[in-house]
Amino acid sequence: MDFIAANMHGWNGIIANFGYLASVVMFMLAIMRMGKVKTARSGNHLAAAAMLLAVVSSFVEMGKINPAFIIAGLVIGAAIGVVMAKRVQMTQMPEMVALLNGFGGLASTLVGLATFYSISGSGTLANQLASQGGWFAGINLVLTLIVGSVTFTGSIIAFLKLSEKMSGKPILLPGRHVLNALLLVLPLALGALAVWSLSSNFAIGAVLILVVLITCVLGVTVVIPIGGGDMPVVISLLNSYSGIAAALAGFTINEPVLVVSGSLVGASGMILTQIMCKAMNRSLANVMFGGFGADAPAGAGGGKGEYKNVKSADPETVAMQMADAQNVVIVPGYGMAVAQAQHAVREVAKLLEAKGATVRYAIHPVAGRMPGHMNVLLAEANVPYEQLFEMDAINDDFRNVDVALVIGANDTVNPAAKTDKTSPLFGMPVLNVEEARTVFTMKRSLGSGFAGVKNELFECQNNYMVYGDARKTLEEIIKALKEG
Amino acid sequence: MDTGAILMLLYVFVLACFAGYQLISKVPPTLHTPLMSGANAISGITILGAMLATRVGPGAPFNASTILGMFAVALATINVVGGFMVTDRMMGMFKSKG
């Protein structure tokens, strides 16, 4: 098969390539629009239109074919996609994105394999792909398989952890760094063998499948040591990989549309990964290889330990205090998502606003299990996005706050991160909730957060724990506010 | 394909990475989740590779690449359709006070 010849010859090829060019421009404009709240939705529509144009152009380019198989794939995929998109609950978005990342990775892997099986030549992989770039296309085919497979199984593990079908705790294999290094070097070596040395089609096929199988294992061993709280980083990174896999597939088949769109996705995932790492004051290497929260010495200063002088309050007391407050800040965390408490939160805020209070929300960048997790949940509960404040925008203002209501957040509000040099959290930017006049912390128990670190906030003079399921507690507060 | 064409693709790749970085680096946190699911849908562009791999001439017998390609088309379509739809659902929820 000669894609370049197919690309450029004849009117079909020319028309199709202009279609591709237009879709690339549309993708760029779409991404630009998706970066601003006001234009985001139209940007998404534009991206969908660009995708449609690219697919139609591809049909034009292929000319006379038997479309049955392609149409079958399109129909099956569209049906599953529609059902998934309609059924998913907003609290399940992290799992959904993880799963979709995985499908994208697997799709690219299959494209890589299918590209090999569609060439009918002889000799090494480099020879067989001569018309598409020789060894360059060969290497990219192997890399597509590697990145695609790692993305696939890595995302499946992330999905299982996020949907709690598997424990979110880090699972540390002995000698995992050596194991992972082997699982990466081996497929690269095998790939080189296929590109330059093997000349039997059967052997090349077998080696490529072996590469896929080994890197599927690698995806698992890379993600299982990473704990639940580090998931925002992992999801962003896998998101990036799914784009890189598509770009690599583009190199293999010489399709610039894939290269451009894939690298756009790769770049966006990388940026989010960076933002997430920065928000935790940790390097990417530390998140990926650190086994954080499991390796952390339990007895170290600021580590676990008994809590002393912890005060608690019941929902009625909270309601009474809040009814008198003028300036209220709500600090949501993963616990709010677990308890599906976003609507109850909004209800409380509305009641307080009706009493004349100002209510704002302080969102830590890594609150929840994916970038922007809290924002989406609060948007679902109709909270206007102007009331949502980033950490830097609100942190200096906590000293003017009457009541800070912490809902299922833990490590992101631990003052030890600022003061205790021995704490594993030290250096991580946190929300200054303890500066508020009164803090109510909703939590199921005094257990430690994801990092396994004692939270000094719980012992603060002005902090009161409100134990129980966040949604039930909030509903009791709502009841008390309505009666009061 | 000659070295020039390879280099051309590499230029495209590098420039697209830069463009992507510039376009996305200032996105507010509120949009991080939908941006991610939208980007995910865009990564479904791999569907074009899947379609090419699946193609068979009229009346021609199908082979391994057709079947692999068909699965790839289906998976990429889940990504595209599911991704864009769920992104639209999320973006439709973001409301301003006004």
Side-chain angles (χ1 to χ4, degrees), chain A residues 155-294:
Chain A
S155 302
I156 296 301
I157 297 296
F159 165 77
L160 292 174
K161 285 193 172 206
L162 288 164
S163 54
E164 291 181 336
K165 293 187 174 74
M166 185 178 158
S167 162
K169 289 205 177 101
I171 300 169
L172 301 177
L173 301 171
R176 63 204 152 90
H177 298 313
V178 178
L179 178 72
N180 287 343
L182 278 177
L183 290 175
L184 181 61
V185 172
L186 195 59
L188 285 172
L190 287 171
L193 211 61
V195 174
W196 281 293
S197 166
L198 296 173
S199 55
S200 127
N201 267 344
F202 178 78
I204 296 175
V207 161
L208 292 183
I209 288 172
L210 199 57
V211 167
V212 170
L213 293 178
I214 296 172
T215 44
C216 276
V217 176
L218 178 62
V220 174
T221 57
V222 162
V223 178
I224 51 168
I226 301 174
D230 283 343
M231 278 300 153
V233 177
V234 177
I235 292 202
S236 311
L237 197 62
L238 290 168
N239 190 238
S240 174
Y241 285 175
S242 75
I244 293 171
L248 287 167
F251 276 121
T252 314
I253 61 171
N254 280 314
E255 201 63 271
V257 205
L258 267 74
V259 175
V260 173
S261 319
S263 21
L264 283 179
V265 178
S268 96
M270 276 301 165
I271 291 169
L272 290 176
T273 309
Q274 269 184 2
I275 296 174
M276 295 301 115
C277 285
K278 213 172 145 199
M280 296 195 291
N281 191 35
R282 289 164 61 198
S283 67
L284 182 57
N286 182 285
V287 175
M288 295 305 292
F289 307 121
F292 196 68

Side-chain angles (χ1 to χ4, degrees), chain A residues 45 66 85 88 100-101 371 386, chain B residues 30 33 40 56 79 88-89 96:
Chain A
H45 294 163
N66 171 6
V88 68
L100 288 177
N101 276 335
E386 290 96 339
Chain B
T30 287
T33 296
N40 204 288
V56 279
N79 239 3
D88 188 58
R89 236 182 95 188
S96 177

Side-chain angles (χ1 to χ4, degrees), chain A residues 295-311:
Chain A
D295 281 352
K304 285 172 190 164
E306 292 301 305
Y307 283 100
K308 284 178 212 140
N309 306 325
V310 176
K311 292 180 279 189

Side-chain angles (χ1 to χ4, degrees), chain A residues 284-339:
Chain A
L284 182 57
N286 182 285
V287 175
M288 295 305 292
F289 307 121
F292 196 68
D295 281 352
K304 285 172 190 164
E306 292 301 305
Y307 283 100
K308 284 178 212 140
N309 306 325
V310 176
K311 292 180 279 189
S312 67
D314 54 20
E316 286 75 27
T317 317
V318 180
M320 244 160 57
Q321 282 261 1
M322 291 189 88
D324 293 334
Q326 283 305 304
N327 192 344
V328 177
V329 170
I330 295 171
V331 182
Y334 182 55
M336 184 186 80
V338 174

Side-chain angles (χ1 to χ4, degrees), chain A residues 95-113:
Chain A
E95 294 104 281
M96 169 97 170
V97 171
L99 201 58
L100 288 177
N101 276 335
F103 289 165
L106 183 58
S108 290
T109 299
L110 293 181
V111 169
L113 281 180

